[in-house]
Amino acid sequence: MSKVFKTKPLRGELSVPGDKSITHRAVMLAALAEGESEIVGYLPSQDCERTIAAFQAMGIEISTTQLDEQPTLRIKGKGLFGLKEPGDVIDCGNSGTTMRLMTGLLSGQKFFSVLSGDSSLRSRPMRRIIDPLRMMGAEISGRSKGQYAPLAISEGTLSPIEYTQPIASAQVKSAVLLAGLSLAEPTTVYEPGRSRDHTERMFQYFGIPFERKGEKATVVGGAVFTGKKMVVPGDISSAAFFLVAATITEGSELRLRNVGVNPTRTGILDILLKMGADIKIEVQESAGNEPLADLVVRSSSLHGIKIDGALILRAIDEFPILCIAAARAEGETVIRGARELRVKESDRIESMAVALRGMGVAVETYDDGMRIEGRPDWLGCDCRTAGDHRIAMSMAVAGLLAEGGNHLDDVACIKTSFPGFIEQLSALSK
Ligand code: S3P
């Protein structure tokens, strides 16, 4: 049980840890490259450690060091077909990105592998990746006809496909493109909306033939590519907690340095600005094909808005903390078209509705979203995080302003994406 108290204004400068999505992909592509890669500013969180451990179990040498005062990985890649069969089940822990992207990548390998994870991950839908991978010829089985992990991948013979995704998902898109990396013929994914494009940007950074035309993303694999140095931007999904904390805490001013501002990820900025937030975006030199900026946020009052359409996809991981902003805003905020929130690390519509009601906030839920009535004061509450890192961090931020603070039943889950978050937040608010 951890208690987060009422706060003074949040002021100063800080860096947030490296981007989680980019770290996973950097490890994967570095392991498949020929020769050494350096990943500077990678995210040393539990989720990313699962991906690192998976490649170590498949014979890839990975060491950690510090470079430019940043946590850095050195990875000795062995080429597209240099991995060896793992001797045990690959434990993906809580990490959906590890499981879904690795399933694609392993489908193209000539060995047997099994992927499993914690109880949350074992209850998340996997047919969305299994279906297109089976269309390519992958031999994958899993519980409930492949809907749930553990997933077992046998040696299959893949052929390229042109796949139209029924739902926009970067994990599905990446799984298919990573499977396509083993093929010399083009593999194409059509996406119904532009989900995060880190895989595609990293293909280009490594010189892997990749083309994007509107909704069509095509990779041509099979050819050797070599290891590189990469700098990982700060994770905008982690920065989001400080953006909201500073916005709702009177007298605050924070500079968040070197945050990744890839347009497929900046929905949080658009939404907060629309709600009346005061955030300046100071563009910096880009890193490894990903745009960077310093974000300067000052406290300001917010008003409720309607959030739907393309904004949902561009802010999909930020809804727990956006719920906190909405609960402080004047008027009501309505979120629709966000059914995917029900199958994240927890059912985030339900988790946040329960948590907000605990603070005295009126919430109505829908199948695909929620309506939140903002109010200027909150009760402190006993909060169940459902083992979900983003629910825990959101309720910790809310605890800065709730009367008597919030008690969280689990803060250990925060380590999946942001080790040191509670310490960083407490240091700013003391
Ligand atoms: C991720 C994609 C998103 C996101 C997840 C990370 C990725 O999931 O919610 O936290 O790194 O590709 P979907 O692709 O399932 O929407």
Side-chain angles (χ1 to χ4, degrees):
M1 195 84 114
S2 167
K3 193 171 177 181
V4 184
F5 291 96
K6 282 190 113 171
T7 187
K8 67 172 183 50
L10 311 179
R11 302 184 73 87
E13 286 197 15
L14 67 137
S15 298
V16 292
D19 188 278
K20 183 153 79 72
S21 290
I22 295 175
T23 299
H24 285 298
R25 288 157 171 84
V27 172
M28 291 177 193
L29 289 183
L32 298 180
E34 298 274 359
E36 188 166 296
S37 291
E38 263 176 356
I39 305 170
V40 184
Y42 84 102
L43 171 65
S45 79
Q46 280 174 353
D47 270 13
C48 297
E49 271 153 18
R50 297 296 181 173
T51 296
I52 294 167
F55 283 97
Q56 286 171 325
M58 292 188 286
I60 301 296
E61 228 179 277
I62 305 180
S63 56
T64 53
T65 180
Q66 288 282 120
L67 211 72
D68 306 331
E69 290 173 40
Q70 305 235 57
T72 298
L73 290 173
R74 286 213 171 97
I75 303 185
K76 289 192 181 154
K78 289 190 171 171
L80 273 177
F81 299 101
L83 302 176
K84 73 171 177 57
E85 184 173 87
D88 203 345
V89 172
I90 293 174
D91 183 358
C92 304
N94 192 245
S95 176
T97 307
T98 306
M99 179 165 285
R100 295 201 176 110
L101 270 57
M102 293 292 292
T103 302
L105 189 155
L106 290 171
S107 292
Q109 297 291 323
K110 296 290 172 205
F111 54 70
F112 175 74
S113 51
V114 180
L115 302 167
S116 195
D118 67 11
S119 59
S120 153
L121 187 53
R122 279 183 280 113
S123 66
R124 295 181 65 189
M126 293 297 150
R127 277 299 288 268
R128 51 181 62 195
I129 50 159
I130 308 299
D131 286 346
L133 293 171
R134 281 180 177 160
M135 282 164 63
M136 294 178 82
E139 299 280 345
I140 308 173
S141 45
R143 289 187 302 125
S144 301
K145 297 188 165 70
Q147 180 61 290
Y148 301 115
L151 302 176
I153 307 160
S154 308
E155 194 176 315
T157 304
L158 299 192
S159 327
I161 50 168
E162 291 209 356
Y163 182 63
T164 302
Q165 288 183 231
I167 46 162
S169 157
Q171 292 179 346
V172 176
K173 171 177 63 178
S174 301
V176 175
L177 294 176
L178 286 167
L181 253 197
S182 64
L183 300 168
E185 303 284 301
T187 297
T188 294
V189 177
Y190 291 90
E191 40 177 0
R194 183 70 68 91
S195 64
R196 66 189 66 191
D197 63 358
H198 305 302
T199 305
E200 298 96 297
R201 284 175 184 258
M202 210 174 284
F203 281 168
Q204 287 167 328
Y205 186 67
F206 273 98
I208 297 166
F210 170 79
E211 197 181 69
R212 151 81 61 186
K213 273 195 191 141
E215 293 175 350
K216 183 178 173 192
T218 303
V219 71
V220 180
V224 170
F225 57 97
T226 46
K228 290 194 83 157
K229 178 174 174 178
M230 274 171 281
V231 177
V232 180
D235 198 325
I236 192 165
S237 296
S238 298
F241 298 101
F242 294 106
L243 291 176
V244 172
T247 296
I248 63 177
T249 307
E250 227 171 280
S252 296
E253 178 170 343
L254 282 182
R255 173 179 290 269
L256 306 172
R257 282 188 302 260
N258 290 323
V259 179
V261 285
N262 178 318
T264 60
R265 296 282 300 281
T266 47
I268 174 76
L269 300 179
D270 295 354
I271 292 169
L272 287 175
L273 288 169
K274 220 167 143 189
M275 293 176 80
D278 178 353
I279 302 171
K280 300 275 172 299
I281 302 163
E282 295 181 6
V283 175
Q284 307 290 318
E285 206 179 310
S286 63
N289 213 13
E290 291 280 352
L292 279 186
D294 279 7
L295 303 177
V296 182
V297 53
R298 294 185 188 87
S299 53
S300 76
S301 52
L302 298 176
H303 53 85
I305 58 166
K306 179 148 203 265
I307 309 170
D308 57 10
L311 266 181
I312 299 286
L313 189 58
R314 292 177 51 240
I316 192 66
D317 289 338
E318 280 60 81
F319 281 94
I321 191 63
L322 279 170
C323 285
I324 301 302
R328 206 72 183 178
E330 201 186 316
E332 63 173 38
T333 295
V334 180
I335 301 163
R336 295 310 294 252
R339 200 179 309 260
E340 276 295 296
L341 295 179
R342 296 229 176 248
V343 290
K344 292 295 175 187
E345 286 83 329
S346 70
D347 174 343
R348 287 184 171 158
I349 292 176
E350 202 48 41
S351 303
M352 283 310 299
V354 171
L356 290 177
R357 285 180 191 131
M359 295 200 303
V361 177
V363 182
E364 189 184 349
T365 62
Y366 316 112
D367 208 31
D368 68 340
M370 55 215 292
R371 188 179 63 81
I372 299 166
E373 286 177 30
R375 52 182 293 168
D377 56 338
W378 294 330
L379 308 169
C381 70
D382 284 328
C383 168
R384 299 239 310 267
T385 63
D388 183 332
H389 54 134
R390 299 200 206 280
I391 304 295
M393 288 187 274
S394 302
M395 292 309 287
V397 167
L400 297 175
L401 297 181
E403 199 53 54
N406 283 338
H407 287 89
L408 312 185
D409 66 346
D410 172 20
V411 286
C413 59
I414 293 174
K415 292 202 187 97
T416 62
S417 70
F418 197 157
F421 170 76
I422 291 287
E423 293 75 5
Q424 221 171 342
L425 187 67
S426 314
L428 277 174
S429 57
K430 261 185 209 139

